[in-house]
Amino acid sequence: MIAKTVFAFALLYLSCFQIVTGVSEREVASMLLADYQKEGRPVRDPTQVVLTSLDVYVIQIVKLIPRRQVLVINFWLVQRWRDDFLTWDPAEYGNISTIRLGSENIWRPRLVNYNRQHEEGWSELPDTNAIVRSDGEVLWTYPITLRSTCVLDIARFPFDVQKCPLKFGSWTYDSLNLKLVNISTTGNIDYFAANGEWELLSFDLEVNEVEYSCCPGIPWDDMTYTITLQRRPKFFILYLVAPSVTFSLLTVWGFWLPPDSGERLSLCINLLLALIFLQQGVAAYLPDTATNIPLIDVFFVANILLVGASSILTILTLSIHFKCFDLPPVPNWLRCLFCLDQSDSSTYRVNAPQDNNDGAMDAFFATNGSNPAWRLVRRVKKIIRQLKEEQEMMTNCLKTESEWKILLGKIDRCLLIAFFIALVVITASILGPNK
Ligand SMILES: *[C@@H]1O[C@H](CO)[C@@H](O)[C@H](O)[C@H]1NC(C)=O
Ligand SMILES: *[C@@H]1O[C@H](CO)[C@@H](O)[C@H](O)[C@H]1NC(C)=O
């Protein structure tokens, strides 16, 4: 019984001893942070440079906001550096070789994204844990959603490729104090989640040393990751390109309708409305800048101008049709410009019989004017002359009208040819191979 009790006490004592001598991570942490100073670089020799490696994983493209030229993107940032003041001997501390410390408690390189665009300012860093190894190696990773400026080039919309540079570096440490090193030649895309609107073409890395005008002679390191995105055009082909091509074909066909039919006017107005509606749809995908006008917009504007010109022409033709007598003759310069000659209106010339003996008749009336029979004849003659004058006026009017119509027809033809050439050129440059 006594032996058993002694044995039990011995066991209890042994297990207590174990608990007391085993070192917990908390003890390592409090030992490390006891008089840790997180300001000042973590090197014992102040002339030494802190080597910091940075690796950027692109995870997801959240969105590209065209109006504000902002790219919202999810990253994982992986930073590694050596902290001379976070070392211990694992053999003395229960074989604990790594420990997690709240990153806000230790020195951090405070790398920032230079072209970051954030409402809340850019000082706050996520306080995830850092993994500290017993030899002082610190690994700090965190996920971050960045809003970075990205100047869009929308000249080839919707077949555009966007390059967004993301510049990372220390804001205050120059490269003599903190040196950035890359651990690979490109950014990491292993965990990239595909985006419906954008296709990731590449994620390139460039390591730079730049001197800023503030501080001549002092180089600053930065790592510039360039993300290259290509828009997936299917959606836009379906919703913008296909209807706009249909509308422009309709515009071409519209020129086949005779301008003096009212149908053409209503077709033009409908096309105009549809085109303006589509153009507004495009505007939502474009930044509010005028530096670069996308070709598809040029296409719309060309279409709208042409349909507008066609409507004006139709209105003119219709108005000419209904007010023949107030028409001025076609000005000579227009006649020259469109090579109009008299023969164009010959179909409307009425060949009235020419009587050359007018003079003789008048002389005869003058001498025999008093005879009532002759007076009747004279009246009939006057009426005939009036009728002839009227007919001549009518003929002139028809002639002017037909001339105007021929002129407008020629303008119509010129517009059609100009439009067709413009359409082919613009379509070729939109779909052309010079991407
Ligand atoms: C630490 O590891 C060494 C070798 O692996 C081993 O001999 C020793 O017992 C360990 N110490 C503790 C406290 O676990
Ligand atoms: C770092 O980047 C440079 C070029 O930017 C490249 O030549 C070098 O190989 C990269 N370093 C590593 C470790 O990949």
Side-chain angles (χ1 to χ4, degrees):
M1 186 64 191
I2 292 170
K4 264 189 178 171
T5 317
V6 168
F7 183 65
F9 268 106
L11 263 184
L12 192 66
Y13 176 76
L14 269 178
S15 56
C16 282
F17 182 77
Q18 273 281 302
I19 289 163
V20 170
T21 54
V23 182
S24 69
E25 286 189 1
R26 287 191 175 195
E27 279 165 76
V28 181
S30 55
M31 179 275 297
L32 287 173
L33 298 177
D35 37 45
Y36 186 85
Q37 174 54 262
K38 55 182 181 177
E39 305 299 333
R41 293 178 307 129
V43 281
R44 292 198 190 277
D45 175 5
T47 60
Q48 219 181 323
V49 61
V50 180
L51 290 179
T52 302
S53 80
L54 172 69
D55 199 13
V56 178
Y57 290 61
V58 57
I59 301 302
Q60 188 192 13
I61 289 149
V62 182
K63 60 184 163 187
L64 212 159
I65 309 168
R67 307 215 92 154
R68 300 166 71 182
Q69 313 236 37
V70 170
L71 173 68
V72 184
I73 190 165
N74 280 343
F75 281 129
W76 291 348
L77 294 192
V78 179
Q79 295 171 48
R80 248 179 243 271
W81 67 91
R82 228 190 107 81
D83 192 324
D84 288 351
F85 301 96
L86 292 178
T87 55
W88 70 95
D89 182 6
E92 281 177 36
Y93 290 90
N95 283 353
I96 293 172
S97 57
T98 59
I99 188 169
R100 276 81 179 157
L101 294 178
S103 64
E104 69 277 17
N105 296 322
I106 60 172
W107 178 88
R108 294 183 289 197
R110 290 189 172 268
L111 302 182
V112 293
N113 174 224
Y114 276 56
N115 37 8
R116 183 172 169 189
Q117 215 196 44
H118 213 278
E119 281 89 1
E120 295 107 57
W122 60 351
S123 58
E124 19 87 60
L125 289 168
D127 44 4
T128 53
N129 279 344
I131 302 172
V132 183
R133 245 170 39 189
S134 59
D135 59 355
E137 187 89 10
V138 182
L139 169 70
W140 182 36
T141 66
Y142 58 88
I144 188 169
T145 303
L146 269 183
R147 293 162 58 91
S148 179
T149 49
C150 178
V151 179
L152 302 186
D153 174 16
I154 35 83
R156 296 185 55 80
F157 176 87
F159 303 99
D160 49 339
V161 172
Q162 303 297 345
K163 276 181 188 290
C164 303
L166 297 140
K167 180 171 166 182
F168 291 93
S170 168
W171 194 248
T172 53
Y173 288 121
D174 56 52
S175 65
L176 302 175
N177 285 306
L178 187 145
K179 183 113 194 108
L180 278 179
V181 281
N182 53 320
I183 57 166
S184 61
T185 49
T186 62
N188 195 313
I189 55 170
D190 292 348
Y191 301 101
F192 182 70
N195 180 285
E197 191 183 350
W198 297 94
E199 190 180 343
L200 181 72
L201 290 187
S202 65
F203 189 42
D204 298 319
L205 166 64
E206 201 182 316
V207 186
N208 301 307
E209 228 182 41
V210 188
E211 267 183 36
Y212 296 98
S213 55
C214 75
C215 328
I218 304 174
W220 303 73
D221 273 1
D222 72 69
M223 280 163 73
T224 303
Y225 288 86
T226 308
I227 189 159
T228 311
L229 300 171
Q230 182 172 35
R231 199 189 294 273
R232 298 184 197 270
K234 260 186 211 158
F235 171 83
F236 296 96
I237 287 176
L238 212 65
Y239 283 88
L240 289 178
V241 179
S244 62
V245 167
T246 314
F247 287 152
S248 52
L249 287 179
L250 262 179
T251 314
V252 173
W253 285 127
F255 278 92
W256 258 263
L257 277 176
D260 50 4
S261 81
E263 290 306 317
R264 175 150 160 192
L265 193 60
S266 55
L267 173 71
C268 283
I269 300 296
N270 281 331
L271 276 177
L272 215 57
L273 282 177
L275 282 169
I276 289 170
F277 183 73
L278 264 187
Q279 199 197 15
Q280 294 305 310
V282 176
Y285 293 96
L286 302 176
D288 295 336
T289 59
T291 49
N292 243 336
I293 294 168
L295 278 174
I296 192 152
D297 239 11
V298 176
F299 183 78
F300 278 130
V301 171
N303 261 306
I304 287 171
L305 285 183
L306 226 104
V307 177
S310 171
S311 322
I312 291 172
L313 217 79
T314 312
I315 291 168
L316 277 179
T317 315
L318 283 175
S319 72
I320 282 170
H321 196 69
F322 289 113
K323 54 170 192 184
C324 169
F325 287 99
D326 300 336
L327 278 181
V330 177
N332 275 332
W333 62 272
L334 271 179
R335 215 184 271 275
C336 289
L337 199 63
F338 289 95
C339 310
L340 275 191
D341 51 354
Q342 300 297 337
S343 64
D344 281 335
S345 48
S346 58
T347 45
Y348 283 87
R349 184 168 292 155
V350 179
N351 292 317
Q354 298 287 315
D355 41 358
N356 297 321
N357 51 352
D358 259 13
M361 288 276 274
D362 283 346
F364 181 76
F365 288 143
T367 49
N368 307 296
S370 49
N371 195 326
W374 283 127
R375 221 179 284 154
L376 188 69
V377 170
R378 209 147 79 180
R379 196 169 293 162
V380 170
K381 176 78 181 163
K382 203 176 165 190
I383 290 169
I384 289 175
R385 197 181 291 158
Q386 265 176 1
L387 277 176
K388 221 157 118 188
E389 263 169 24
E390 223 156 85
Q391 191 197 24
E392 214 159 274
M393 241 171 80
M394 195 64 203
T395 314
N396 272 339
C397 164
L398 282 177
K399 201 173 114 186
T400 323
E401 191 194 320
S402 83
E403 264 183 2
W404 275 110
K405 274 192 176 167
I406 287 165
L407 180 75
L408 291 174
K410 286 201 169 184
I411 295 177
D412 207 43
R413 200 67 44 79
C414 289
L415 271 180
L416 171 61
I417 292 168
F419 175 69
F420 200 72
I421 291 171
L423 194 71
V424 168
V425 168
I426 292 172
T427 314
S429 54
I430 287 176
L431 300 173
N434 53 328
K435 290 211 168 177

